[in-house]
Amino acid sequence: MKKIAKFGRNWHYGWILLFVILMFSSSVCDAQTTGTNSPGLRIDVSGANEEGDLGLAIQLVIAMTILTLGPSVIMMMTCFTRIIIVLGFVRNAIGVNAAPSSQIIIGLGLFLTFFIMGPIWNKIYDDAVTPYMEKAMKSSEALEVATAYMKDFMMNQTRQEDAQFFLEISRQGAMTRDELPLSIVVPSFILSELRTAFQMGFLIFIPFIVVDFIVASTLMSMGMMMMPPVVISMPFKLLLFVLVDGWYLIVQSLVESFNIS
């Protein structure tokens, strides 16, 4: 948790979304232009690249793909999935469907994701983006380093049974942890995150179900069978949530549930 507390440089996460663009930015600057008398801009994607470097056309395609799939990458390859599911369970357990709103829950989930993923993204920026910008590393090497950090984070949250399941149905044979491709790591990580999120959601529901049961039993014993129990139980659930400082406990449990090495 000490590593998560180092949040001062987490603005670097913006570089991660633009990482592939940086991989071909230097090539674009070096592209030659033709026609000295006519104004305009021409980018030549057929120029030769150094050995071990990705072609400019391939880099451009990868960059556009990353920008298009950016939201999906954030949701499926980071801690956002678990956070947003647990926060949704909290809202449903309290019984107030409009408070907090979906925009607030998504915003809180995003900022918690930036906070938890900050140490990993800082490592990617220091060990992959910065060396590439300084031309001390090829684009393929930088991308490999960044992918290794993300795979390490996902595997730390993934159950061995889930990874073994997808490895068996892919029929790729036995592999070590470092040899697993993203096609195995990502679905295994998502499956483990869904399982963990629903486990946490179940534990969150238990105290609120107890309040609903007590209120319903009390109304039944008093002969007030026509009174909807939710009308009485909702204020008590809100009071319970406030007295135990519920949002602090929820956020603390979410942050501490991730294995950040």
Side-chain angles (χ1 to χ4, degrees):
M1 298 308 300
K2 293 182 179 179
K3 295 183 179 179
I4 297 179
K6 298 179 181 179
F7 190 57
R9 297 189 302 159
N10 283 355
W11 63 272
H12 291 325
Y13 68 83
W15 287 105
I16 307 306
L17 186 60
L18 301 177
F19 175 67
V20 180
I21 295 181
L22 293 176
M23 290 199 305
F24 66 85
S25 60
S26 60
S27 300
V28 173
C29 294
D30 295 336
Q32 297 180 352
T33 58
T34 59
T36 56
N37 295 328
S38 58
L41 175 64
R42 177 176 178 270
I43 299 177
D44 186 5
V45 297
S46 60
N49 296 95
E50 297 181 4
E51 183 179 357
D53 208 359
L54 295 178
L56 182 57
I58 298 178
Q59 295 177 19
L60 182 60
V61 172
I62 295 177
M64 298 306 297
T65 303
I66 290 295
L67 291 177
T68 303
L69 301 179
S72 299
V73 172
I74 292 178
M75 289 188 293
M76 296 302 162
M77 297 181 64
T78 65
C79 55
F80 181 80
T81 301
R82 184 190 304 185
I83 293 174
I84 201 67
I85 292 176
V86 172
L87 293 179
F89 272 120
V90 172
R91 184 174 64 178
N92 292 333
I94 297 176
V96 184
N97 295 328
S101 63
S102 299
Q103 292 83 353
I104 295 177
I105 289 180
I106 294 175
L108 178 60
L110 284 175
F111 278 100
L112 286 177
T113 300
F114 296 151
F115 178 79
I116 296 173
M117 298 296 297
I120 292 93
W121 287 342
N122 285 336
K123 291 180 181 178
I124 295 176
Y125 181 84
D126 294 335
D127 299 339
V129 178
T130 300
Y132 176 77
M133 294 175 62
E134 296 176 352
K135 298 182 179 180
M137 182 181 294
K138 302 295 184 181
S139 58
S140 58
E141 297 173 349
L143 189 59
E144 183 178 355
V145 172
T147 303
Y149 280 124
M150 290 302 300
K151 284 176 57 178
D152 186 64
F153 166 77
M154 289 187 287
M155 289 304 299
N156 287 338
Q157 326 305 323
T158 303
R159 293 192 310 163
Q160 184 177 357
E161 295 82 356
D162 296 332
Q164 185 66 28
F165 167 72
F166 283 101
L167 187 61
E168 290 177 355
I169 63 177
S170 66
R171 299 180 180 178
Q172 298 185 27
M175 294 183 182
T176 63
R177 170 172 169 160
D178 297 333
E179 294 174 346
L180 289 175
L182 286 177
S183 59
I184 300 295
V185 175
V186 174
S188 304
F189 169 73
I190 296 173
L191 184 60
S192 298
E193 287 294 282
L194 290 175
R195 178 179 180 273
T196 304
F198 273 77
Q199 287 177 340
M200 297 180 69
F202 172 76
L203 296 177
I204 290 172
F205 259 98
I206 290 179
F208 297 105
I209 291 177
V210 171
V211 173
D212 287 333
F213 180 76
I214 294 175
V215 171
S217 300
T218 303
L219 292 178
M220 185 71 68
S221 62
M222 296 174 62
M224 303 175 63
M225 294 178 292
M226 301 302 295
M227 172 69 71
V230 66
V231 176
I232 307 299
S233 64
M234 184 180 297
F236 283 101
K237 289 190 290 187
L238 290 175
L239 179 62
L240 173 65
F241 195 71
V242 171
L243 289 178
V244 301
D245 199 0
W247 287 115
Y248 172 80
L249 295 177
I250 294 297
V251 172
Q252 182 186 35
S253 300
L254 280 171
V255 174
E256 293 180 348
S257 66
F258 291 96
N259 181 15
I260 307 295
S261 60

